[in-house]
């Protein structure tokens, strides 16, 4: 064997930070204020990051200590993304929409010491901190210190006071690239939330994927509207990838409704944007009644849930093409991205590729397995549980006593995703459903995702979700909760007749409810657990009079 002649070089966040600070004077980070933008350069963000690190060091924060954020997407959060891991501490992004029990559980589990909180959500955090003894300091961002009243033993400061007088330089420590840099808990739809800990190396390598043309192609020429929260799977890696590529960022802060999103797009004309499908269906509905040119978006990244094909068509009409991606908190999160193959240039031929969950990058290995763990063929037809592995895929869940590779989630070094999918011979993965959401009816399977996609294609359906409900004869049958567009008079027989022309007859649901809204999870996905609870008793009224 001969030795390579290459140098070593740790892949660390501080090197991304210094790179962005020195080499991209033209790149900016902006936050929407509700009526305009407040903008800084990466060099100013870097100054703030160094000031934060100096101040945190004085508070006793050192290597491996957890520093939490309870914040929207904004410039201060961007500085914290840079500062905390660079100084060797661990950035712990807290989901603002967790239940109080989950939030307290997570903060105690991670043993957070300092928490940065946006003033607008300080009253929420107020309820949690007294139950988390590890917290010593709270820093209020975008508001005065008295927005948070401290329980005994906790010191509160305002952001400006924390940074006041601190140096804009920090001697970043040389870190092992495998050291913990950031952590994020899954939203815990079943059982307690589980902690995923990213390393400097995993974030660095994942950033290459975000800027790669096989990924999101985030570039120096981009202004990316980062709608996906910084507390949800690290904003899909964009805050770090932007430092690598010198891409400008536009953070929406707390203004996540369609109206302000379109207002900030009008003002800043971002070239790309990323969010879950429910955000885009709201934006699309508003665009129908209030047309606005959004063709400045060269790419709209959609993931987190399956994108309905009708949404892809609609955004094509808006001249803002959707790029569909699949991932999980456990996968950093970029798993697969749906770019059509180079030799398929006709838009209609490319369309079926674009609505798959896409192909995997070189660093992510993927396979599908049956219930005994046997590997199944990539024939595009056979479905099984998707398993993935690679340098930015988690191999265990965080535990203070030592990380745990629970066999229900890991299999021979592979992450069991809990998603059922097919993989085509060309490598395109299609999610059939989450294992727990597949509807088992009379010995056959119905994909709730497929049904949702078809129903969402009806012009008078604003949003819809499908769950399996117990049925005495068939074990389970699909139940649809749908929201119609304003003024629509759609009824169940009409919808059933419409569906009969589009899906096999036995799949057409008998149980329907037209509601005001589909409940959403803390990260904006349809919350099937809540739908199950809410409609468990009410169903029969809905099916009365309908023939099974
Ligand atoms: P949570 O499990 O709390 O929703 P994640 O955001 O980590 O948190 O969710 C990952 C899951 O989201 C995946 O396992 C998959 O079921 C679903 N998902 C993500 N992207 C897609 C997509 N493009 N199509 C279908 N499902 C998706």
């Amino acid at each position: 064997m001969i030795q390579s002649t290459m140098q070593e070089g740790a892949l660390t966040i501080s090197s991304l930070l210094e790179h962005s600070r020195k080499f991209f004077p033209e790149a900016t980070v902006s936050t929407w204020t509700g009526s305009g933008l407040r903008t800084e350069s990466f060099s100013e963000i870097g100054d703030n990051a160094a000031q934060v690190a100096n101040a945190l060091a004085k508070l006793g924060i050192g290597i491996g200590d957890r520093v939490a954020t309870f914040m929207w997407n904004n410039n201060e959060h961007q500085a914290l993304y840079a500062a905390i891991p660079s100084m060797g501490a661990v950035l712990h992004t807290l989901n603002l929409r967790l239940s109080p029990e989950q939030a307290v559980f997570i903060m105690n589990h991670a043993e957070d010491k300092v928490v940065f909180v946006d003033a607008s959500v300080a009253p929420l955090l107020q309820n949690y901190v007294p139950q988390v003894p590890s917290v010593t300091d709270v820093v209020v961002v975008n508001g005065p210190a008295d927005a948070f009243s401290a329980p005994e033993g906790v010191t509160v400061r305002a952001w400006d006071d924390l940074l006041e007088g601190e140096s804009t330089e920090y001697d970043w420590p040389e870190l092992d690239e495998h050291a913990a840099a950031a952590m994020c808990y899954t939203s815990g739809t079943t059982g307690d939330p589980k902690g995923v800990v990213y390393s400097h190396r995993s974030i660095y390598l994942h950033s290459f994927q975000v800027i790669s043309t096989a990924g999101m192609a985030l570039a120096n020429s981009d202004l990316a509207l980062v709608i996906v929260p910084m507390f949800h799977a690290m904003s899909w890696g964009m805050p770090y990838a932007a430092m690598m590529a010198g891409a400008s960022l536009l953070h929406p802060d707390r203004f996540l409704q369609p109206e302000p999103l379109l207002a900030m797009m009008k003002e800043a004309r971002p070239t790309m944007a990323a969010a879950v499908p429910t955000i885009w269906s709201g934006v699309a509905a508003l665009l129908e009644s209030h047309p606005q040119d959004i063709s400045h978006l060269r790419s709209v990244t959609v993931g987190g849930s399956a994108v309905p094909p009708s949404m892809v068509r609609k955004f094509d009409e808006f001249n803002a093409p959707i790029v569909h991606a699949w991932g999980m908190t456990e996968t950093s999160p970029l798993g697969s991205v749906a770019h059509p193959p180079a030799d398929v240039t006709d838009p209609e031929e490319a369309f079926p590729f674009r609505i798959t969950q896409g192909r995997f990058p070189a660093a992510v290995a993927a396979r599908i397995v049956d219930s005994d763990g046997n590997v199944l063929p990539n024939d595009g037809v056979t479905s099984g549980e998707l398993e993935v592995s690679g340098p930015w895929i988690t191999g265990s869940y965080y535990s203070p006593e030592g990380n745990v590779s629970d066999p229900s989630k890991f299999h021979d070094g592979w992450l069991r995703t809990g998603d059922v999918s097919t993989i085509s011979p060309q490598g395109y993965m299609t999610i059939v459903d989450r294992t727990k959401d597949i509807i088992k009816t009379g010995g056959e399977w119905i994909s709730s995702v497929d049904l949702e996609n078809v129903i969402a294609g009806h012009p008078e359906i604003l949003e819809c979700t499908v769950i399996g409900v117990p049925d005495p004869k068939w074990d389970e049958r699909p139940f649809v909760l749908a929201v119609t567009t304003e003024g629509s008079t759609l009824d169940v027989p009409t919808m059933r007749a419409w569906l009969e022309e589009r899906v096999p007859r036995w799949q057409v649901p008998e149980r329907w409810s037209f509601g005001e809204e589909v409940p959403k999870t803390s990260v904006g996905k349809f919350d099937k657990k809540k739908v199950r609870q809410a409609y468990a008793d009410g169903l029969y009224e809905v099916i009365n009079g309908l023939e099974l």
Side-chain angles (χ1 to χ4, degrees):
M1 187 181 81
I2 77 160
Q3 297 290 325
S4 104
T5 60
M6 292 298 110
Q7 302 184 8
E8 294 297 325
L11 309 177
T12 56
I13 307 294
S14 59
S15 62
L16 286 182
L17 164 59
E18 290 305 328
H19 182 69
S20 70
R21 222 176 159 183
K22 284 190 200 118
F23 300 124
F24 300 115
E26 73 284 10
T28 57
V29 183
S30 304
T31 299
W32 183 249
T33 63
S35 56
L37 299 168
R38 53 189 181 90
T39 300
E40 288 172 291
S41 63
F42 268 108
S43 130
E44 286 165 310
I45 295 283
D47 289 353
N48 288 345
Q51 289 180 302
V52 168
N54 281 305
L56 284 175
K58 285 187 190 144
L59 298 183
I61 292 298
I63 305 282
D65 286 333
R66 268 76 73 202
V67 177
T69 55
F70 196 73
M71 293 173 65
W72 302 108
N73 293 15
N74 51 39
N75 283 26
E76 291 75 15
H77 212 165
Q78 181 76 28
L80 291 166
Y81 256 60
I84 296 166
S86 291
M87 69 183 294
V90 180
L91 165 72
H92 176 200
T93 54
L94 285 163
N95 184 329
L96 301 182
R97 304 195 188 97
L98 287 178
S99 70
E101 297 74 35
Q102 285 187 331
V104 168
F105 170 87
I106 288 174
M107 293 175 75
N108 276 317
H109 194 258
E111 297 168 277
D112 296 327
K113 287 194 168 168
V114 178
V115 189
F116 286 82
V117 60
D118 269 321
S120 60
V121 286
L124 265 179
L125 187 75
Q126 188 94 50
N127 302 323
Y128 312 155
V129 170
Q131 301 171 62
V132 187
S134 55
V135 174
T136 57
D137 295 88
V138 170
V139 181
V140 179
V141 186
N142 293 310
D146 64 10
F148 185 94
S149 63
E152 221 182 289
V154 176
T155 310
V156 187
R157 292 171 186 78
W159 170 267
D160 289 344
D161 296 335
L162 183 82
L163 271 60
E164 177 77 39
E166 295 296 350
S167 163
T168 53
E169 291 304 323
Y170 189 92
D171 192 11
W172 306 116
E174 276 184 26
L175 297 168
D176 178 347
E177 65 183 24
H178 294 98
M183 66 197 300
C184 192
Y185 281 72
T186 62
S187 48
T189 34
T190 48
D192 284 331
K194 297 183 198 70
V196 172
V197 183
Y198 309 106
S199 65
H200 286 260
R201 176 186 155 85
S202 72
I203 290 175
Y204 201 107
L205 293 174
H206 180 263
S207 300
F208 276 130
Q209 182 57 24
V210 176
I211 74 173
S212 135
T213 50
M216 285 153 78
L218 185 68
N220 183 222
S221 51
D222 276 317
L223 170 62
L225 172 56
V226 192
I227 306 173
V228 54
M230 290 169 99
F231 59 72
H232 180 205
M234 309 303 285
S235 248
W236 299 351
M238 285 185 288
Y240 291 120
M243 292 187 211
M244 183 177 263
S248 293
L249 296 175
L250 169 57
H251 290 304
D253 203 76
R254 59 189 186 280
F255 304 102
L256 298 170
Q257 301 306 316
E259 291 83 359
L261 286 175
L262 281 170
M264 65 187 87
M265 285 197 230
K266 194 173 206 167
E267 167 92 18
R269 299 183 64 79
T271 57
M272 66 168 296
V276 293
T278 49
I279 295 268
W280 295 118
S281 60
V283 168
L286 186 62
L287 280 173
E288 295 289 326
S289 55
H290 296 76
Q292 174 179 323
D293 173 32
I294 59 161
S295 63
H296 47 81
L297 292 170
R298 67 157 180 86
S299 166
V300 174
T301 310
V302 185
S305 306
V307 65
S310 53
M311 185 181 283
V312 180
R313 294 263 186 221
K314 186 149 281 175
F315 277 76
D316 280 352
E317 283 166 23
F318 297 147
N319 248 319
I322 282 180
V323 175
H324 190 201
W326 169 91
M328 307 170 72
T329 302
E330 288 88 334
T331 66
S332 288
L334 267 200
S336 55
V337 186
H339 296 292
D343 58 350
V344 180
T345 48
D346 174 70
E348 275 316 302
E349 281 174 37
F351 192 80
F353 292 98
R354 294 174 61 206
I355 58 173
T356 69
Q357 273 70 13
R359 292 203 267 205
F360 293 91
V364 178
R367 65 185 191 183
I368 48 172
V369 299
D370 67 15
S371 51
D372 296 325
N374 301 312
V375 177
L376 298 168
N378 290 355
D379 57 11
V381 182
T382 311
S383 62
E385 184 173 5
L386 176 67
E387 298 188 336
V388 289
S389 71
W392 61 77
I393 310 294
T394 201
S396 58
Y397 289 109
Y398 171 69
S399 162
E401 291 87 38
N403 299 343
V404 186
S405 290
D406 173 354
S408 70
K409 291 295 292 183
F410 300 94
H411 170 209
D412 294 343
W414 295 71
L415 171 74
R416 303 177 60 177
T417 63
D419 289 330
V420 176
S421 78
T422 60
I423 301 179
S424 76
Q426 273 170 294
Y428 283 86
M429 188 268 285
T430 300
I431 298 269
V432 175
D433 217 332
R434 286 193 174 194
T435 340
K436 57 181 187 291
D437 293 335
I438 280 183
I439 301 162
K440 298 180 183 92
T441 189
E444 301 283 345
W445 281 7
I446 299 179
S447 154
S448 67
V449 174
D450 285 353
L451 261 185
E452 282 164 3
N453 282 343
V454 178
I455 297 168
H458 190 287
E460 288 176 44
I461 298 284
L462 209 50
E463 57 182 22
C464 70
T465 194
V466 176
I467 58 165
V469 293
D471 180 275
K473 185 164 171 201
W474 304 106
D475 292 336
E476 275 189 332
R477 289 294 296 157
F479 161 69
V480 187
L481 171 60
V483 181
T484 52
T485 51
E486 227 177 282
S488 160
T489 52
L490 258 194
D491 58 14
V492 174
T494 315
M495 269 315 288
R496 279 173 52 88
W498 184 85
L499 260 188
E500 267 172 26
E501 288 168 20
R502 289 164 175 84
V503 301
R505 210 162 179 275
W506 62 272
Q507 294 198 5
V508 176
E510 303 79 20
R511 296 156 165 89
W512 293 74
S513 182
F514 292 109
E516 293 283 298
E517 196 195 353
V518 176
K520 315 277 186 322
T521 69
S522 60
V523 292
K525 305 184 190 187
F526 295 139
D527 192 338
K528 298 201 177 191
K529 197 169 138 197
K530 271 205 196 121
V531 176
R532 278 194 189 97
Q533 285 160 357
Y535 288 86
D537 302 330
L539 279 178
Y540 289 92
E541 273 177 52
V542 181
I543 60 163
N544 268 353
L546 290 174
E547 237 180 83
L548 281 186

